[in-house]
Amino acid sequence: MKNSGWIIILFCNLTLTQAQDLFTEFDTIRLEEFTITQRIPLNDQSVLDLSRSSRFSSIDKINGRLEGISLIKRGAYALEPQMDGFSGGQINVTVDGMRMFGACTDRMDPVTSYIEPDNLESFNITHGTSGSRNGNTVGGSFDMILREPVIGQTEGMLVETGLGYESVSNGINANGALEVNREKWAFRTSGTYRNHNSYRGGDGIKVPYSYFKKINLHSVVKYDLGKNNTLRFDFLLDDAVDVGYPALPMDVGKAKARMYAVEIERLDAYRTVSQLKAKLYFNSVYHLMDDSNRDSTFRLTDENGAPSDTVYMRMDMPGWSDTFGFFMEGGASLGEKSHIYVKLDDYLNYSRAYMTMFMNYPEYPGEPPMYTETWPDVFRNVAGIFIRNTTRVSNSVNVNLEGRLDMSQTRVTSETGHRQFAIFGYDIDRGYFELPKSLNLSANFRTNGVTRLDAGAGYAERLPTTSEQFGFFLYNALDGFDYLGNPEIGLERSTHFWGNLHFTWPELKVSIRNRFSYVSDYIIGLIDPEIPQMNLYASGVKRYDNIPAALLYGTSLQLQWDPGAYLTFYTLLRYTYGRTGEGDPLPLIPPLRNTSICKFRKGIFSVQMEGEFSSDQNRINSGFGENPTPAFAIYHLRNSFHWLVKETVIEVGAGIENIFDKAYSEHLDWGNFLRPGRSIYLNLRVII
Amino acid sequence: MKRSSIIYTILCLLALSIVSCDKSDDPDDNDPDMVLIATAMTDAQTFQVALYANDTLFEGYNKLYISIKEASSTDQVTDAAIVLKPLMDMIDMVHAAPVENPAGVANEEGLFEAAVVFIMPSTDMMGWTLDVQVETADKDETAVFEIPLVRSLEESRKFNVISPLDETKYFVSLVEPMAAEVGINDCEFTVHYKESMMSFPPAEDLTIEIEPEMPSMDHGSPNNEHPVHTADGHYEGKVNFTMTGWWRIHMVIKKNGDVLTDDAYIDITLE
Ligand SMILES: [Cu+2]
């Protein structure tokens, strides 16, 4: 009842605020496939129009608006994507199908933080168990497709530069791109620089440690080898320094990522075999946490919990994650009505992280540093095969059957790591072998040109993450516990059902999506009162374990209306529900939310009004440090102008985000620190 | 000329050092963990006795390795009854210390293994002596060692407990060397009590509870095993260290259920 009331209020809101302004970063509704495309062919005036102010959006701002995606926020930067309540190791975040893993034991560096919208062509998002193309997953896959230049076509060269300013953080965004297209080859390089100070919340007070600075560079070269073969090299660099995390007891001094890939693609190789692709890649992530800007004074307590003394501590916490892998994929027609797609892949990940604590306890000067291995040299090799068969049963019905089998071997090579886990009764001096698998069956029905129904069911298993299996006293600032990995932890398993209904009329598109997961052996941290915590600020220890069951449900309503040539209305309403088998709410489940956009564009001018609305969230799990979050409504106004001067496009964007300076935070924001207050931004972009 | 003479000198020194290395078969040259403490002749000049330890001697439990050679032939004696008598002369009184005398036969390296718990460090004014009585089939002689130094440690390896029940004084020592590292560690303690100034027999009927802690971090470690008595006043248990750094092992010592002490500790730093 309460929820339906909300929906009415939201729609009223939308009508009231119509005729204000807009921005859609991408064409959000693509009914034919679960792909959300942000492709921006730069000479396409209409798409340019739509994507206007998006050029300086961070990838987080884009992700946060995607259907089924929410963001876990610990700072102003590097928000972690969550899909229908699944996050971390439950979802597969990949770049062009390449596996990559963050190097932070505290999940401060999700893979999405290494990609900028400037080098992003599109997302390939698949929900639940059906996202297993790039690796078995229970929560879905989030593949970021990198932009590539086009060979042949019209020979040309394109230079693009942009500069933006945001008042709330006194922040600068700058980017530049160069693309060269020739008959036999093409090259593209793009770079982004961002430098933001701590931003001001809606209450007028600066949110401490919410600053960040980063550069990102992506270069691609493509060669035409003839006979439909192309060779492609990718290089990506992302360096962030001095990134503050208001929700955590420490910041990041340095976060570095490098990515190298070489790919051969063969199109229409034979009549029946199509799209053969082979890719070899390596990526390396380095993450260094830094608490030198923090107070770092900790209070010791006596047996009764009363303060007894203070110590001063500095920590050195580096982490590395290197991934080397390859995959081969290809499709083939099996007769008239059937198509088969096969992917073979293998990756080797090497993750390690260490912690050294330097104490300065006045009573005990000169104390030696303390050292422990938080990820004790963990090697994991996963080889897999994925097969999908699509059969056209009739002109209106397609049936899709896909399966995947992975073979995983995990080994800890550090002697210290072995001894650390021996304390807890584990003998980890052996390889851990697993065979995660998945099977999905789905069908889509197209009635007339208007209605389409997708429905399916699937089962999948996923591997535990490095932290869940071998993490050693990883501090979680949300619930205040140290987390201990469980070497014997089992695979998480999900049975997943989904049903999506789409209506497409020329002026109106509507999508209703429903996804339900029954997860068994759900991996979660359980309090172990026997183990004393290690970090000074921790209140106990949780050990990762499999609990019998959890239920997750996600639904959304998406609507886009284009009445006439000048106006676009767009709204997305989404809701997620999660509980354990025993009925306790799962932690970090977003409440009912709505994003509504109204855009008017005419000639060189466009104006866009946006509203973001969230209900309160009182279904919380206080055992995981959650607090109830109140409802909020915020509004943004965006304007842009563009001129074509000979061959040059000049674009100016200006707007106000959080117009009414609302002091708010979203439910998935750790520690309830405030989101940015009112911010005025100004962008200039020139394309030659 | 000058340069060549320097080179010649260096060469000679090198040659000398090689030669001296080669001909030596003393344990401290073969085993870098072994330190020669002192040598002495027995009173009748029959045996040459050398005293080795894992480190220079310190206040606490010290393992000693005794080499006995016949002075005439330099043959190693491997069969002898050996009795150690440590003594400290404190001007107004003389006292001994707990000892563990060697078994009658030497180990594979020809050394007799023994132990002494030095219950106090030596000072400029007062030092330890150690009488080593060697009794073979046909000889019974004693070598007297002036122990050059018994260090007091920054991180104590021993503590004393005076029983609130009967004023008996107990000496609790960590058995060294303990190569402590991150993970599970065997830990062994000895407990002796003072029967008289000259007699320190092992205490074999105590219960010991341990609890490791990082004092500056306010945390401990799980799954430790309390030491239990094995033999001759030795108590063996397991202590777990989750990281390197400074650890303190808190100890509670009980006799027949009565607490002798509950605020004693031994510190261990892992590098
Ligand atoms: Cu981190």
Side-chain angles (χ1 to χ4, degrees), chain A residues 300-301 311 313 357 359 361 364 367-372 419-420 422-424 472 530 532-534 536, chain B residues 181-184 214-223 240-246 248 269-271:
Chain A
L300 298 185
T301 51
V311 290
M313 179 176 70
M357 287 169 277
M359 307 299 292
Y361 196 1
Y364 308 107
E367 188 181 340
M370 296 165 223
Y371 169 84
T372 195
R419 293 198 305 261
Q420 285 177 180
I423 294 174
F424 300 95
F472 198 70
E530 299 293 302
Q533 77 280 9
M534 188 143 88
L536 268 174
Chain B
E181 56 183 7
V182 169
I184 302 176
M214 296 202 96
S216 63
M217 290 277 283
D218 224 11
H219 73 70
S221 72
N223 304 332
N240 298 328
F241 301 123
T242 48
M243 56 170 82
T244 66
W246 170 37
R248 174 165 285 179
T269 295
L270 282 67
E271 298 294 337

Side-chain angles (χ1 to χ4, degrees), chain B residues 6-24:
Chain B
I6 291 170
I7 292 170
Y8 179 78
T9 314
I10 291 171
L11 283 175
C12 284
L13 284 172
L14 274 174
L16 261 177
S17 65
I18 290 163
V19 169
S20 61
C21 280
D22 276 350
K23 75 175 181 195
S24 161

Side-chain angles (χ1 to χ4, degrees), chain A residues 104 108 287 289:
Chain A
C104 177
M108 290 153 102
H287 182 83
M289 290 187 249

Side-chain angles (χ1 to χ4, degrees), chain B residues 124-136:
Chain B
D124 292 346
M125 308 291 296
M126 309 174 298
W128 286 91
T129 57
L130 181 66
D131 292 1
V132 179
Q133 182 192 352
V134 181
E135 191 182 341
T136 58

Side-chain angles (χ1 to χ4, degrees), chain A residues 30-99:
Chain A
R30 281 279 297 274
L31 299 182
E32 268 59 56
E33 43 197 283
F34 307 122
T35 304
I36 293 153
T37 303
Q38 203 229 355
R39 178 155 201 157
I40 303 155
L42 288 169
N43 38 14
D44 186 332
Q45 201 60 44
S46 63
V47 181
L48 190 70
D49 227 16
L50 250 176
S51 66
R52 186 125 317 167
S53 47
S54 74
R55 303 302 301 169
F56 293 98
S57 284
S58 65
I59 190 159
D60 295 332
K61 274 190 187 164
I62 297 173
N63 291 350
R65 288 160 180 257
L66 298 174
E67 194 274 327
I69 309 275
S70 309
L71 297 172
I72 300 170
K73 183 171 159 118
R74 301 174 179 91
Y77 169 69
L79 279 62
E80 186 189 349
Q82 189 204 55
M83 302 176 73
D84 293 326
F86 292 103
S87 65
Q90 296 173 313
I91 61 175
N92 265 349
V93 182
T94 49
V95 181
D96 273 342
M98 297 181 280
R99 304 304 302 258

Side-chain angles (χ1 to χ4, degrees), chain A residues 464-654:
Chain A
T465 61
T466 301
S467 291
E468 287 161 349
Q469 198 168 16
F470 296 111
F472 198 70
F473 290 93
L474 307 179
Y475 178 69
N476 179 313
L478 183 62
D479 60 14
F481 279 79
D482 275 340
Y483 275 68
L484 184 64
N486 177 352
E488 310 291 340
I489 201 159
L491 299 175
E492 190 173 271
R493 303 150 206 281
S494 173
T495 309
H496 180 66
F497 302 93
W498 70 97
N500 304 327
L501 192 57
H502 311 282
F503 302 98
T504 314
W505 293 281
E507 289 188 351
L508 180 66
K509 299 170 182 178
V510 181
S511 294
I512 300 160
R513 293 183 172 89
N514 289 283
R515 293 181 287 268
F516 172 80
S517 298
Y518 176 84
V519 185
S520 44
D521 295 328
Y522 187 84
I523 297 176
I524 201 165
L526 301 178
I527 294 176
D528 189 335
E530 299 293 302
I531 307 176
Q533 77 280 9
M534 188 143 88
N535 287 298
L536 268 174
Y537 28 73
S539 44
V541 170
K542 285 185 182 177
R543 215 197 271 238
Y544 281 109
D545 216 333
N546 301 99
I547 60 167
L551 304 169
L552 290 115
Y553 171 67
T555 183
S556 73
L557 169 71
Q558 211 173 3
L559 187 149
Q560 183 173 325
W561 182 36
D562 299 277
Y566 306 127
L567 266 179
T568 299
F569 294 102
Y570 168 80
T571 189
L572 168 64
L573 186 69
R574 41 195 173 158
Y575 179 71
T576 313
Y577 175 86
R579 68 170 177 88
T580 66
E582 289 171 347
D584 298 324
L586 285 176
L588 291 178
I589 298 296
L592 179 72
R593 287 167 304 153
N594 173 267
T595 306
S596 293
I597 297 171
C598 171
K599 177 168 182 169
F600 172 82
R601 89 207 94 156
K602 192 163 191 233
I604 65 161
F605 173 68
S606 99
V607 58
Q608 176 167 323
M609 183 77 198
E610 297 172 16
E612 286 181 48
F613 314 98
S614 172
S615 75
D616 51 351
Q617 179 60 292
N618 296 310
R619 266 185 59 78
I620 56 158
N621 192 323
S622 51
F624 286 82
E626 283 191 296
N627 298 316
T629 312
F632 65 82
I634 54 165
Y635 302 90
H636 315 303
L637 175 70
R638 303 177 197 281
N639 305 285
S640 76
F641 303 84
H642 64 265
W643 298 274
L644 194 63
V645 184
K646 289 184 184 170
E647 298 277 271
T648 305
V649 179
I650 298 169
E651 194 185 309
V652 176

